[in-house]
Amino acid sequence: MKILITNDDGIYSKGLRAAVNALGELGEVYVVAPLFQRSASGRAMTLHRPIRAKRVEISGAKVAYGIDGTPTDCVIFAIARFGNFDLAVSGINLGENLSTEITVSGTASAAIEAATHGIPSIAISLEVEWKKTLGDGEGVNFSVASHFLRKIARAVLENGLPEGVDMLNVNVPSDATPETPIAITRLAKRSYSPTIEERIDPRGYPYYWIVGRKCEKFEPGTDTYALKVERKVSVTPINIDMTARVDFNVVKGRLERIE
């Protein structure tokens, strides 16, 4: 089995190394990940400049490259360089990736990119207490997230994904144990409410930060509810065909009424 591992936290992240250690017994592990932090990059591709690759030594990986591009670039590079894969894993990400906001997430978007090439994919994220960690994951215990990644990856490799499922988006609570239940969930509408915060620089000019305030109410059955309220491991099956399941004649009729 050939397994691709990537992320958006960067190739030196402790979460990526935890994923390599978790999956090494399941097949040959190839790592292609950004050289630097690329969170919230979505499915961005680098099209207006060349990308560069650097060999990196990672114990347990057959080969590893750091790419000065996006997570999507990494998946494209890996497939072009090493051929197809039996499984693609993005993570283990520092911080949860929930709701329809996974379209912004570099972690989820890397898995989505792999899925567009027909590769069964898993995006996995670990809820963390940010005050207790450094940017690369130092101080975070990835052992439980690794346990669930190995368990889910083995199931996908042995049984495949159900028809109509292209990838799985997995979120592990910070206080999870190996006995924590798994909940199969749907995406919540939002987990953050974004806004703009204005500040003034030393020269008196305004500048702006995009900031997000966490939503406080979550609908049962969603990934946010499972993680934040039930404290369960959320597994959301994702289909990358975003076409609305509606009668096309209804849409056509609405458009025909537009003058």
Side-chain angles (χ1 to χ4, degrees):
M1 293 290 184
K2 287 176 61 181
I3 301 171
L4 170 64
I5 297 180
T6 188
N7 71 355
D8 70 359
D9 287 329
I11 197 161
Y12 298 106
S13 168
K14 300 296 188 298
L16 184 140
R17 280 159 172 73
V20 172
N21 292 333
L23 301 179
E25 66 185 48
L26 301 182
E28 288 187 337
V29 172
Y30 296 71
V31 175
V32 183
L35 276 169
F36 312 105
Q37 169 67 251
R38 296 304 302 261
S39 292
S41 57
R43 289 192 67 197
M45 294 183 193
T46 304
L47 300 179
H48 303 294
R49 65 167 179 84
I51 57 175
R52 300 188 183 275
K54 175 184 177 182
R55 283 290 296 266
V56 178
E57 292 298 322
I58 295 181
S59 177
K62 181 179 177 66
V63 64
Y65 278 92
I67 303 294
D68 70 338
T70 68
T72 293
D73 294 336
C74 293
V75 174
I76 294 169
F77 177 93
I79 294 171
R81 193 68 179 260
F82 305 115
N84 207 5
F85 292 88
D86 299 293
L87 177 69
V89 170
S90 184
I92 301 168
N93 189 67
L94 281 166
E96 66 269 23
N97 281 297
L98 298 164
S99 76
T100 59
E101 293 159 9
I102 65 169
T103 55
V104 177
S105 161
T107 301
S109 293
I112 291 171
E113 178 63 31
T116 67
H117 296 271
I119 303 171
S121 303
I122 300 168
I124 181 165
S125 304
L126 173 64
E127 180 189 45
V128 298
E129 298 180 55
W130 288 107
K131 293 181 180 179
K132 297 182 180 180
T133 181
L134 299 177
D136 65 353
E138 192 68 43
V140 176
N141 186 343
F142 290 97
S143 61
V144 175
S146 296
H147 164 80
F148 282 103
L149 174 57
R150 188 183 304 110
K151 180 178 181 179
I152 294 169
R154 180 181 286 113
V156 173
L157 286 170
E158 292 179 356
N159 305 319
L161 290 172
E163 184 176 355
V165 178
D166 297 310
M167 63 164 281
L168 301 175
N169 189 52
V170 181
N171 284 277
V172 181
S174 59
D175 56 355
T177 70
E179 289 72 39
T180 297
I182 290 176
I184 308 302
T185 60
R186 67 181 186 277
L187 296 177
K189 204 72 170 179
R190 305 203 69 93
S191 57
Y192 283 87
S193 179
T195 186
I196 292 290
E197 184 174 301
E198 182 182 81
R199 300 181 184 179
I200 304 298
D201 71 17
R203 294 180 181 270
Y205 296 103
Y207 65 98
Y208 303 90
W209 279 103
I210 294 178
V211 295
R213 295 183 176 86
K214 290 185 178 181
C215 298
E216 296 182 357
K217 294 184 179 180
F218 310 110
E219 185 180 355
T222 62
D223 52 357
T224 50
Y225 189 87
L227 186 80
K228 297 297 185 181
V229 179
E230 298 179 310
R231 307 305 295 166
K232 294 179 179 178
V233 176
S234 168
V235 177
T236 306
I238 303 294
N239 184 299
I240 58 176
D241 180 359
M242 299 176 68
T243 308
R245 299 299 192 262
V246 298
D247 184 340
F248 286 2
N249 289 322
V250 173
V251 179
K252 182 178 180 182
R254 295 289 179 90
L255 296 178
E256 287 175 345
R257 291 203 294 270
I258 298 175
E259 294 182 359

